[in-house]
Amino acid sequence: MQLTIHRLTLPLAHPFTISRGSITEQTSLVVELECDGIRGLGEVTENTYYHQTFDSLSQAIHRSEAILPRYANESPNDVWPDLLRAVGNNYFAASAIDIAAHDFHARRLNVPTYQAWGLHWQNVPESSFTIGIDTIEVMQQKLAEQPGWNIYKIKLGTAHDVEIVRRLREHTTATFRVDANCGWTVQEAIENSRVLASLGVEFIEQPLPADADSSDKLLVFRESSLPIIADESCQREADVEACQGLFHGINVKICKCGGLTPAVRMLRRAQELGMRTMVGCMIESSVGISGAAQLLPLLDYADLDGATLLSRDPAMGIRLKNGQVQLSTLPGNGASLLA
């Protein structure tokens, strides 16, 4: 099994701002696994919040080379525990390899990855389009540049969050979802939920910091007028059960949990526990987005617009048309790098 690592620079159409900071471009790492002429692609991006750089990711990925030949004959599910140990428990690095391995495995079967898992492409949710934090005028401009979506996800965590949503609501009747990225207090979360519910907001994502006391999370869970979805509070498999009774649903990020293998298990466990399921993304190319899209048959909500936010995508794969996911004609995850 031959390993190739590609470094990509992803330019954004607009500066992307959340409560923790702002970026104008994103550095991405694409893993390519090749054996007998069949290639699998996986992606992970740098992340300052989680202390992940291209170099640290590359070093961790190279530590896995001894076990990569196993993917020629074994399923990614069987290899994953040893993969995680090989990369030194670097979940971000493991995710890129695991996505590539699932892509390789399904391409060898000449079927889409979701089909290789025994899933069916039916009743899949639409994706939202994300409006990053900016002045209200610029956020209105971003909304106007992407008309026709049925769902918009609004990044919040400012001193005037309710006003942002109120002003954006003047320009569309679409469903809103809001993501505070750990930026609210308990009182803000509860009070904001009441107003936001009247403004056509569907749910609130991660209002409190991940390390907030469980009693605070429980209070928001009970008193909020809107469902509360865990993001930073649900990174790994063990977090799913810990979120039961404190959140109404979970947002799985593939890079945080270590790949598609654990993501499938997390989503299925959440369904068993009666929780709502969602998959989100980072700013990434169509390689990563196409991998995440394979999970759509397991989801209630989707936020897969990472490549749509780019001014130039160095890859091709699944496409979003006003939130509707259009599958690639290629097997596996359906992505390929452009020359």
Side-chain angles (χ1 to χ4, degrees):
M1 184 72 66
Q2 180 179 342
L3 166 68
T4 305
I5 293 178
H6 303 271
R7 180 175 186 140
L8 306 179
T9 299
L10 310 178
L12 286 138
H14 294 283
F16 188 78
T17 302
I18 63 174
S19 61
R20 293 191 293 265
S22 180
I23 59 173
T24 58
E25 65 180 25
Q26 177 70 66
T27 298
S28 169
L29 182 153
V30 169
V31 166
E32 180 180 324
L33 301 179
E34 192 273 332
C35 181
D36 297 330
I38 299 174
R39 292 178 172 83
L41 298 175
E43 182 177 19
V44 66
T45 58
E46 288 188 333
N47 192 298
T48 55
Y49 184 73
Y50 293 100
H51 311 292
Q52 299 290 342
T53 67
F54 183 89
D55 289 340
S56 67
L57 291 165
S58 297
Q59 291 167 10
I61 289 167
H62 280 298
R63 289 197 293 267
S64 73
E65 289 191 77
I67 70 167
L68 295 183
R70 291 175 54 186
Y71 286 121
N73 300 300
E74 298 180 50
S75 76
N77 296 343
D78 293 336
V79 178
W80 191 83
D82 294 328
L83 167 66
L84 189 61
R85 284 190 287 270
V87 298
N89 290 322
N90 186 318
Y91 285 78
F92 278 67
S95 72
I97 299 168
D98 186 70
I99 294 169
H102 278 281
D103 188 27
F104 173 85
H105 179 71
R107 284 178 189 249
R108 188 169 56 184
L109 297 175
N110 198 34
V111 297
T113 299
Y114 72 87
Q115 197 174 108
W117 297 337
L119 300 176
H120 302 282
W121 197 264
Q122 56 190 28
N123 301 319
V124 299
E126 294 182 28
S127 173
S128 54
F129 180 83
T130 303
I131 309 293
I133 295 173
D134 213 309
T135 65
I136 292 178
E137 291 72 25
V138 171
M139 294 178 78
Q140 289 173 326
Q141 176 188 339
K142 292 177 181 178
L143 183 68
E145 289 177 359
Q146 292 287 338
W149 291 66
N150 292 319
I151 310 164
Y152 294 94
K153 177 176 173 177
I154 306 167
K155 292 287 189 177
L156 299 177
T158 75
H160 49 277
D161 286 340
V162 170
E163 181 62 17
I164 288 173
V165 178
R166 199 186 305 277
R167 294 279 297 278
L168 292 179
R169 174 52 73 206
E170 296 171 359
H171 298 273
T172 179
T173 59
T175 296
F176 283 166
R177 298 167 180 171
V178 302
D179 183 359
N181 278 116
C182 309
W184 291 349
T185 65
V186 171
Q187 183 177 2
E188 286 173 327
I190 295 171
E191 292 179 355
N192 288 349
S193 74
R194 294 167 183 160
V195 182
L196 295 175
S198 69
L199 292 172
V201 171
E202 186 174 21
F203 63 70
I204 300 170
E205 189 177 336
Q206 197 68 41
L208 304 183
D211 60 358
D213 191 85
S214 293
S215 62
D216 289 341
K217 295 176 183 175
L218 180 60
L219 184 59
V220 172
F221 174 78
R222 289 177 173 173
E223 298 296 328
S224 173
S225 298
L226 291 169
I228 305 297
I229 307 298
D231 182 354
E232 286 85 352
S233 290
C234 192
Q235 298 182 35
R236 312 271 168 78
E237 289 185 68
D239 296 332
V240 177
E241 292 196 22
C243 284
Q244 186 185 28
L246 299 177
F247 295 89
H248 300 88
I250 62 168
N251 179 11
V252 174
K253 298 286 181 63
I254 297 170
C255 60
K256 297 179 187 179
C257 72
L260 293 172
T261 294
V264 170
R265 294 196 293 250
M266 290 173 72
L267 294 167
R268 285 180 165 151
R269 183 57 181 148
Q271 290 175 331
E272 292 171 354
L273 295 172
M275 301 176 74
R276 304 177 196 185
T277 56
M278 176 178 175
V279 163
C281 64
M282 303 299 192
I283 303 295
E284 51 197 285
S285 79
S286 288
V287 172
I289 298 299
S290 296
Q294 305 307 307
L295 299 165
L296 279 163
L298 294 171
L299 305 184
D300 296 307
Y301 313 123
D303 179 31
L304 299 178
D305 65 340
T308 308
L309 299 172
L310 304 178
S311 62
R312 180 182 56 82
D313 188 350
M316 60 184 299
I318 71 106
R319 286 288 181 262
L320 296 181
K321 183 175 178 59
N322 291 343
Q324 295 278 354
V325 176
Q326 300 178 334
L327 289 170
S328 167
T329 58
L330 298 175
N333 297 340
S336 61
L337 292 173
L338 299 175

